[in-house]
Amino acid sequence: MGFAEHYRRHAEFVLHDWLQVERLAERPRFAEHSRETFSAVLDLAQRLARERFAPFNRLADTEEPTFDGERVHLPQPTVEAMRAYAASGLLAAMEDEALGGLQLPCTVAMAANAFISHASVGMGGYAMLTRGNAGLLMAHGTPAQQRVFAANEFAGRWFGTMCLSEPQAGSSLSDITTRAEPDGEGAERDPLGPRHRLRGHKMWISAGEHEITENIVHLVLAKIPGADGRLVPGVRGISLFICPKWLVDDQGALTGERNDVALAGLNHKLGYRGTTNTLLNFGEGRFRPGGKAGAVAYLVGRPGEGLKAMFHMMNEARIGVGLGATMLGYAGYDASLDYARQRPQGRPATPAGKDPTQPQVPIVQHADVRRMLLAQKAYVEGAVALELYCARLVDEQDTGDAGAKAEAGLLLEVLTPIAKSWPSEWCLEANSLAIQVLGGYGYTRDFPVEQHWRDNRLNMIHEGTHGIQALDLLGRKVVMNGGEGLSVLAHRVSQTLARAGQCAPLADDANRLAAALQRLGAVTKAAWSTGVPAEALGNAVPYLQAFGHTVLAWIWLELALTAQAALDGGATGGDADFLRGKLAAKDYFFRHELPKCEPWLQVVAARDATTREVQDAWL
């Protein structure tokens, strides 16, 4: 089987048989598209990933970026791959034709970009950040900021970053200390936005320094001091700024003057090594634009509303991280499935024992190996469907009618923590199982699965740790507006249950999911029954795990309904095997995974105090 063909077939099943994405072409924004154009985009991305990224994934891992004190050095294939990606037009795939975009649905664009993550998530990280950066400016920037910065990012001339964390603050953004002060007389009238000077340090900045493109556009969170010169405490004082590496004029041309943004050093990571990870100093005086220290930056939106704007990019990035985690899991699944089908070892047990005179069988014939492969299949194929479903909600939010937009927005609020966290945990588990399938070979660098695991381990930390996603889900998303988002999700699941209840092969699973959904709702109320946040949120992570598994059981029931309908319609041969594989993965998930929810939920419902009451001295 060729590169990512297993994913390609599954993605087309999800896109066309389940989500029926070609119906989006009936909407004015996508009127120029059809199933044929969607397939052409998938072809382009698959070919680009196969030829430009996949052959160099190991090289990008073993020859990680280096810094000589002046310049960052990357393997040349990384530079060439990213330039080829930029030239392909995929950076602007979802944007207006006037911006050089293809006006593709988000669902199709994400399915296409998944090929790049399958091939080399470390090399492709620059693109995800650039798309998110430019997309934020299209939503919150001025026309001049969109024309000068976003347009050049979509064209691939410049790449972008998001600069949030600081060495002393980490994920606690209310504690950032980067300062933004007005840049003298006339700063308010700058055509690129109110001009400020930044001073501070930003840590863990992916793609923060490189020479792949002629410029880097940093989106930086910083605080504007009050009249007393002090920074406003908390998140209310945070504003958002555009800070380019090289200064530009109001037509987007480089002025040749270097901004006061300097690389302090590279972080050396467990995985994702193809993308630089940096500590950046803003305004330390190494460069002196306009003859003075301070990084020149332009305000985006209103002062004090920076975090609100940045969440536009962060939410997109969280879905992107989830998709990247999914495809790392998928890459490991593909590798271990291929290995299991070729590796002879052992003989089947019979009532008379094993016959050593018979040839060894491929390990895929052993039940425990099939267990590990089926678990991987359930995790990665379910995660693909989840991520593309979220992308379909983005399309609904962008192009649906008023009611559909509102409902899609509520669903995205509730599902985004799951879309980010669930694949980051369970597709990492898929990578662990892939290593186990390969045995001793699995933990050597002669095979790719150990790198997949290392790359994926970062995703439980990227864009908000597992614990942060759990607090967001239980502390905000399921209780906001009186639980409106959770109610909308429950209604969607109930619609699926009604359909599955009329399908004899799936009726028992519908009953299992109905019980799990009811239990989840009851536990949500129990967690908050005292109204004490510390009690409700003390076991937020097991709540996140149970919520995620319930959502994935719903996704698998939806896929099973689609597969069963096709089988009932007369599918035969390889098509029938493909569809039966979906039903087998659904069976595994309902019988082996869904039962895990109850132990997770027990501690949440009881507001178990074990982790809250343990003392530091006891640890």
Side-chain angles (χ1 to χ4, degrees), residues 487-568:
S487 295
V488 171
L489 177 61
H491 178 66
R492 288 278 179 107
V493 177
S494 295
Q495 290 177 319
T496 304
L497 294 174
R499 290 163 45 224
Q502 300 302 311
C503 178
L506 301 176
D508 287 344
D509 292 325
N511 291 333
R512 293 187 185 99
L513 179 55
L517 180 65
Q518 184 179 31
R519 175 66 168 152
L520 185 66
V523 169
T524 305
K525 293 178 181 178
W528 282 104
S529 61
T530 64
V532 179
E535 293 182 5
L537 301 176
N539 297 292
V541 166
Y543 179 84
L544 176 81
Q545 291 171 311
F547 197 108
H549 262 48
T550 302
V551 168
L552 265 292
W554 168 52
I555 293 289
W556 267 117
L557 191 56
E558 278 281 337
L559 296 179
L561 280 164
T562 304
Q564 189 64 55
L567 283 169
D568 292 344

Side-chain angles (χ1 to χ4, degrees), residues 310-361:
M310 184 61 88
F311 264 107
H312 183 282
M313 182 176 181
M314 289 169 67
N315 284 333
E316 181 175 325
R318 284 170 176 172
I319 296 174
V321 166
L323 184 62
T326 297
M327 297 316 297
L328 281 165
Y330 220 124
Y333 171 52
D334 280 350
S336 61
L337 178 59
D338 183 63
Y339 179 89
R341 286 172 169 167
Q342 297 183 43
R343 167 70 170 174
Q345 185 172 312
R347 296 166 180 83
T350 69
K354 297 181 180 180
D355 184 354
T357 66
Q358 294 299 309
Q360 297 188 84
V361 298

Side-chain angles (χ1 to χ4, degrees), residues 17-37:
D17 296 314
W18 179 39
L19 297 177
Q20 299 182 338
V21 73
E22 58 269 25
R23 289 186 178 177
L24 289 171
E26 299 169 6
R27 300 181 180 183
R29 178 166 182 80
F30 309 125
E32 298 299 316
H33 287 291
S34 64
R35 181 162 183 163
E36 288 70 29
T37 62

Side-chain angles (χ1 to χ4, degrees), residues 410-460:
L410 287 168
L411 284 167
L412 278 170
E413 288 280 3
V414 173
L415 290 177
T416 294
I418 304 304
K420 189 274 174 183
S421 66
W422 197 90
S424 298
E425 179 173 6
W426 296 99
C427 292
L428 177 68
E429 175 62 17
N431 290 134
S432 181
L433 290 171
I435 293 172
Q436 194 70 24
V437 169
L438 269 69
Y441 292 109
Y443 53 70
T444 71
R445 292 198 173 191
D446 298 317
F447 290 83
V449 289
E450 61 85 26
Q451 183 185 342
H452 296 148
W453 187 92
R454 286 188 291 105
D455 286 343
N456 218 352
R457 185 59 188 84
L458 278 63
N459 284 318
M460 287 180 70

Side-chain angles (χ1 to χ4, degrees), residues 156-191:
R157 284 183 60 203
W158 307 342
F159 280 174
T161 73
M162 53 193 296
C163 300
L164 287 74
S165 298
E166 297 180 3
Q168 83 292 342
S171 297
S172 182
L173 296 178
S174 63
D175 295 310
I176 66 171
T177 58
T178 297
R179 300 171 67 91
E181 299 182 282
D183 188 25
E185 187 176 349
E188 284 293 320
R189 298 188 298 277
D190 194 294

